[in-house]
Amino acid sequence: SKAHSPMASVLRRWAQRSVLGASGAAGIAVACSPGARRSLVFWSTVAPFFAEYQLVKARARFDECDEEEIQSRVSAFHKRTASRAVDVILQLGGIYVKIGQFASTMGAGILEEEYIEALKPLQDGVPPRSLAEVSAIIESDVGATMDELFLSFDPVPVGAASIAQAH
């Protein structure tokens, strides 16, 4: 039978090894690259949101809901997920916060209102990073300790933004 042919066996082993190799390469990229790690966090959050959104709509159709009930269920989904989306954006920082800020001002007609409202606080400020995080970033980028670089360093930030923080 074709399923037990030597060629099928070779192809099956090749496919298994390819999956293992790709998984290993992805694991190394995530372990070594902050950008890859942030992308993984982003997509591992977005994919379940999308799947849940599709499930909410499918369940409403299965329950034979009228259009008003479907919209009510979808709106409840958006209210539930909007604050979670903002939490992920803040966790990821940098460009993700910038995109969130942009979406909160220019997202009408593109994003649902629940997301625009949840993103609006990003316009006024972003929670500051801890001194330990700031020190680690500076020391990693410059290759010297904070004590070597600064005579004094106020641990309380003057202000924090999406891609910078002033001390």
Side-chain angles (χ1 to χ4, degrees), residues 93-99 101 126 129 137 160-166:
I95 190 67
Y96 293 94
V97 173
K98 278 289 185 207
I99 292 168
Q101 289 169 333
V126 177
R129 293 181 182 250
I137 291 168
S162 58
I163 59 172
Q165 185 165 301

Side-chain angles (χ1 to χ4, degrees), residues 56 60 64-76:
V56 165
E64 298 179 358
C65 297
D66 61 19
E67 191 60 35
E68 186 177 324
E69 177 60 22
I70 292 171
Q71 287 307 312
S72 173
R73 290 182 183 193
V74 167
S75 180

Side-chain angles (χ1 to χ4, degrees), residues 104-129:
S104 72
T105 59
M106 305 298 284
I110 299 169
L111 289 176
E112 300 296 330
E113 188 62 30
E114 292 87 351
Y115 295 97
I116 293 170
E117 287 301 313
L119 292 166
K120 280 185 179 177
L122 297 179
Q123 294 173 19
D124 296 332
V126 177
R129 293 181 182 250

Side-chain angles (χ1 to χ4, degrees), residues 7-124:
M7 185 60 149
S9 179
V10 167
L11 288 174
R12 191 171 29 260
R13 276 187 304 220
W14 180 84
Q16 290 169 339
R17 289 178 182 159
S18 295
V19 168
L20 282 173
S23 298
I28 290 169
V30 167
C32 297
S33 168
R37 206 169 16 259
R38 282 191 298 271
S39 293
L40 178 66
V41 169
F42 175 80
W43 289 111
S44 65
T45 303
V46 169
F49 280 1
F50 181 75
E52 184 182 352
Y53 174 70
Q54 295 301 323
L55 188 62
V56 165
K57 292 191 323 183
R59 179 64 196 241
R61 284 192 298 275
F62 178 79
D63 291 345
E64 298 179 358
C65 297
D66 61 19
E67 191 60 35
E68 186 177 324
E69 177 60 22
I70 292 171
Q71 287 307 312
S72 173
R73 290 182 183 193
V74 167
S75 180
F77 163 79
H78 291 314
K79 285 177 184 161
R80 258 193 339 272
T81 57
S83 63
R84 290 187 355 223
V86 173
D87 290 343
V88 170
I89 287 170
L90 288 170
Q91 175 190 350
L92 296 172
I95 190 67
Y96 293 94
V97 173
K98 278 289 185 207
I99 292 168
Q101 289 169 333
F102 177 77
S104 72
T105 59
M106 305 298 284
I110 299 169
L111 289 176
E112 300 296 330
E113 188 62 30
E114 292 87 351
Y115 295 97
I116 293 170
E117 287 301 313
L119 292 166
K120 280 185 179 177
L122 297 179
Q123 294 173 19
D124 296 332

